[in-house]
Amino acid sequence: MDDTVRSFLVDLMTRSKKGLSFAEQLCSQAREELDACQGHSDEIEKIYSKLCFLSHQIKIQIAAVESFLRIARSRHNELSTAAKDLHRDLKGVSQRMEYALRALRSKEVDPEIQKTMRQDEHDQKSTGESSRAVVLFDFLDEVSLNQLQQESSERMQRIQSTTSRLRDLVDMFSELRTEFKGYLTNAITLDDSALSFAREKMHLQEQQTTSMAESLMSLANHYDQVAQVLTADIQPMDEELYVLESDTTEVTVIIEELEESLALVQATSEEIGVREHLYTTAYQEAVALFGKINKLEPQLAELVDVFRSAEGLREDFDSTEKLIGEINSLAIWYEEFHNSYGALTVEIVRRHQAHQAQERLVRDFMDKMESLQTDEMHRRAVFSERHGKYLPVDVCPSFADPPLHYEVMTHGEWSLPMPTRATLQLVEGHIRDGDLE
């Protein structure tokens, strides 16, 4: 073998060796990518089964939460409407009661009409101690009223407290439901395509790595051929050298194909890695959400407790309605009490006027009787002077009887006191305006 051919073959072997070494590196990287991809694929299969089970459990729990929420909303709407109506009625009668009490507190009782004659005499003799003016409110049974108001207020507070607790729970579960719905909407698709994707990608990588291994084997065979010819130290034929040179020239093309295949394997591995990360993240989110749902047990227990409390409010509703009726009746009674006091002052004045009219009638009667008595005595005297001396007594024994004497007898004592001048002026104003009968 001449030196020129030897040098040519050494160059071919060097180039083949370099290409083979680089190809081995590329195939090694492809194998590493394939192993990593296999790990990603295996992990996806593990996570997929867990995620499917967990997602199913989450959907069951979310459905239970939605069921509780529907019941809670319905119960809250019923309770809230009833509570608002009851509170409106209680507020209405409370305002009416407040107006009635305000009128009674501001209405002073005439100090004179409470006095008897003896009290009046005693007050005139006393040193005149000053005291607070008596108002109509002083005649009320304030304890009973306070008990009614306190009991109605306590029952109303229990109703409102339960309604408020239920509203807070409904708001909380509504927010959670929105969060759960958002999770379900944004959750990744869990079907067979998830597993088939990884398997298809793995199959594609295996095809690529197999093709790369075949190319590597081809480069190794070419290198062995060049080395075999070189070490044989026999002058090769020109056709043989041409074939070796052509194959060596193809090394660059094969290397480019290997690089493309490695890039495809790397891209596929990265794609599966991203998919694994996606499923891992989804699983972590599902675990967190499932844990959050499991932690709702105290709130669900509280919701059940509120349901029981709401059922027990029937007595409070019935009792409060009854109390509202009693307070309203009492307010009406207080209004009539205030109006009746005004009528009382008018009646007192009327009775004084009637008494004065009777006294005038008696005085007129007594004056008339006295005038008649005087006239009768005068007429009898004139008769006796003219005829009496001629008439024997036994002619009419009773003729000499004196005339009958009439008297007006009063039974009882008039003790009705006269109201003060201010009350009299007020009564006269009402009578004049026609406000009171």
Side-chain angles (χ1 to χ4, degrees), residues 344-387:
L344 172 65
T345 56
V346 174
E347 178 64 12
I348 290 175
V349 172
R350 188 200 64 76
R351 292 187 182 186
H352 273 289
Q353 292 174 347
H355 176 66
Q356 293 170 359
Q358 291 172 351
E359 287 185 331
R360 287 195 299 271
L361 181 61
V362 169
R363 286 196 299 271
D364 292 344
F365 175 75
M366 294 302 295
D367 291 343
K368 184 64 175 178
M369 290 299 297
E370 184 177 356
S371 174
L372 291 173
Q373 184 77 9
T374 301
D375 181 65
E376 177 64 18
M377 294 301 294
H378 174 70
R379 293 176 68 88
R380 288 190 179 197
V382 171
F383 180 85
S384 297
E385 180 68 25
R386 174 69 180 83
H387 303 286

Side-chain angles (χ1 to χ4, degrees), residues 203-222:
H203 180 66
L204 178 62
Q205 278 195 326
E206 289 174 353
Q207 288 179 336
Q208 292 296 326
T209 53
T210 300
S211 176
M212 291 178 70
E214 293 174 352
S215 297
L216 179 63
M217 183 62 67
S218 174
L219 290 175
N221 291 334
H222 170 69

Side-chain angles (χ1 to χ4, degrees), residues 230-258:
L230 182 62
T231 57
D233 199 20
I234 299 174
Q235 183 70 26
M237 297 176 61
D238 291 341
E239 291 81 2
E240 188 177 1
L241 291 176
Y242 177 77
V243 172
L244 292 176
E245 183 181 16
S246 298
D247 289 344
T248 303
T249 304
E250 288 294 323
V251 169
T252 303
V253 176
I254 293 174
I255 292 299
E256 291 177 355
E257 292 176 351
L258 289 174

